[in-house]
């Protein structure tokens, strides 16, 4: 006959075993596999713009890869600050992401006097999605065929080849070219590509600096002539056009980009899963071609690469912006 003490020991052991067996099941129930509900990607620009269109393509492909709907939400305003701030305030659970750009995650912090978020401290990098150079283009009726033609002309006659600047990126390219060449280039700011293109095509201005996508139809129609791309090497987005770096300005490079970010605190296993999914999607030939058609060179790579790349971009552009006195409200 068991003693009372022996019976209590058996009951205690059984209870311990039951606890051990049920804890993993409970833990599993508390932490279901990611993702198990729709994911939101915030785009800090208007619907239909390049970043938005590329995000929708990526979202469509990621939805298939991850087995959950991807909802793209546009929150435009303040040069990308409004939507990016909203993403920074979201929970770090992997269900809110943002498509960052060189503006939202590098340039804006040097262009605006106050920022409601920190692009480093408030975000986890996931993966680079796509890049594209800017293009220096001249009206077809101008005599310019190369970057040197323009620089020589303005050195001989300042004001003879003014440049339309439809974006902050265009202005940075112009300032960088002025710094490297010493040429007295003069830029005219515009609120967008449409109005800038109207004046260049109409002959009011000789040159513009814009994206391959914005320039593509006018280059194809022979109304504009591409003089140089700002990538370090030739770009398939503008075939046959030499980089500025290969036209007597070694080291000249400016590349705009889009990259996926998550709010700070997103678990590393989730960012790794997202990075793997993005890279798998970007490796598909049809996706790569569609991105090229949209004006992006497909990218990819690790989260660490994106973090290091953005850090180097900040270190590079901060002194140029400061020296030129560029502000977002100018």
């Amino acid at each position: 006959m068991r003693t009372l003490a022996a019976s209590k020991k058996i009951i205690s052991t059984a209870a311990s075993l039951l606890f051990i067996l049920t804890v993993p099941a409970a833990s599993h129930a508390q932490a279901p596999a990611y993702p198990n509900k729709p994911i939101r990607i915030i785009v800090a620009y208007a619907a239909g713009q390049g970043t938005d269109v590329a995000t929708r393509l990526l979202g469509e492909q990621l939805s298939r890869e991850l087995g959950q709907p991807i909802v793209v939400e546009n929150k435009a305003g303040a040069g990308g600050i409004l939507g990016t701030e909203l993403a920074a305030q979201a929970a770090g659970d992997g269900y809110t992401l943002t498509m960052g750009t060189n503006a939202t995650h590098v340039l804006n912090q040097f262009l605006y006097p106050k920022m409601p978020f920190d692009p480093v401290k408030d975000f986890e990098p996931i993966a680079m999605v796509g890049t594209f150079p800017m293009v220096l283009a001249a009206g077809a009726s101008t005599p310019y065929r190369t970057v040197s033609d323009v620089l020589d002309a303005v050195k001989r006659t300042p004001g003879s080849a003014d440049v339309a600047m439809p974006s902050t990126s265009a202005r940075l390219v112009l300032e960088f070219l002025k710094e490297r060449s010493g040429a007295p280039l003069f830029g005219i700011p515009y609120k967008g590509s449409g109005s800038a293109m109207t004046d260049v095509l109409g002959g009011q201005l000789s040159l513009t600096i814009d994206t391959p996508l914005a320039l593509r139809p006018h280059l194809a129609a022979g109304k504009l002539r591409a003089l140089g791309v700002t990538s370090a090497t030739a770009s398939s987005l503008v075939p046959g056009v030499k980089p500025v770096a290969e036209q007597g300005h070694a080291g000249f490079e400016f590349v705009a980009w889009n990259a996926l970010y998550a709010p700070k605190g997103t678990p590393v296993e989730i960012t790794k899963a997202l990075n793997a999914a993005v890279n798998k999607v970007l490796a598909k030939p049809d996706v790569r071609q569609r991105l090229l058609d949209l004006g992006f060179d497909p990218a990819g790579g690790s989260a660490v690469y994106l973090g290091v790349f953005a850090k180097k971009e900040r270190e590079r552009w901060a002194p140029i912006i400061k020296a030129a006195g560029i502000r977002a409200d100018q």
Side-chain angles (χ1 to χ4, degrees), residues 37-103:
K37 62 181 181 180
I39 297 169
R40 174 176 65 153
I41 303 180
I42 295 175
V43 173
Y45 301 94
Q49 291 189 357
T51 297
D52 171 70
V53 176
T55 304
R56 291 179 187 278
L57 170 60
L58 182 70
E60 171 191 308
Q61 296 293 322
L62 283 179
S63 177
R64 296 174 186 173
E65 197 63 38
L66 297 172
Q68 290 292 337
I70 305 287
V71 180
V72 176
E73 184 176 322
N74 298 91
K75 292 291 182 181
I81 291 176
L82 183 64
T84 311
E85 179 187 11
L86 184 66
Q89 294 170 346
D93 57 7
Y95 292 100
T96 295
L97 311 172
T98 188
M99 185 62 80
T101 68
N102 52 306

Side-chain angles (χ1 to χ4, degrees), residues 223-245:
K223 296 179 180 180
L224 292 178
R225 184 184 304 117
L227 308 182
V229 294
T230 62
S231 48
T233 58
S235 171
S236 58
L237 297 172
V238 197
V241 180
K242 283 187 176 183
V244 175

Side-chain angles (χ1 to χ4, degrees), residues 15-26:
S16 297
L17 286 170
L18 181 62
F19 176 77
I20 291 169
L21 290 170
T22 56
V23 166

Side-chain angles (χ1 to χ4, degrees), residues 136-152:
L136 176 64
S141 61
T142 70
Y144 310 120
R145 296 292 189 279
T146 67
V147 174
S148 294
D149 288 345
V150 174
L151 300 179
D152 291 343

Side-chain angles (χ1 to χ4, degrees), residues 144-169:
Y144 310 120
R145 296 292 189 279
T146 67
V147 174
S148 294
D149 288 345
V150 174
L151 300 179
D152 291 343
V154 296
K155 286 177 181 178
R156 288 194 306 269
T157 310
S160 59
D162 292 343
V163 186
M165 303 183 303
S167 65
T168 300
S169 292

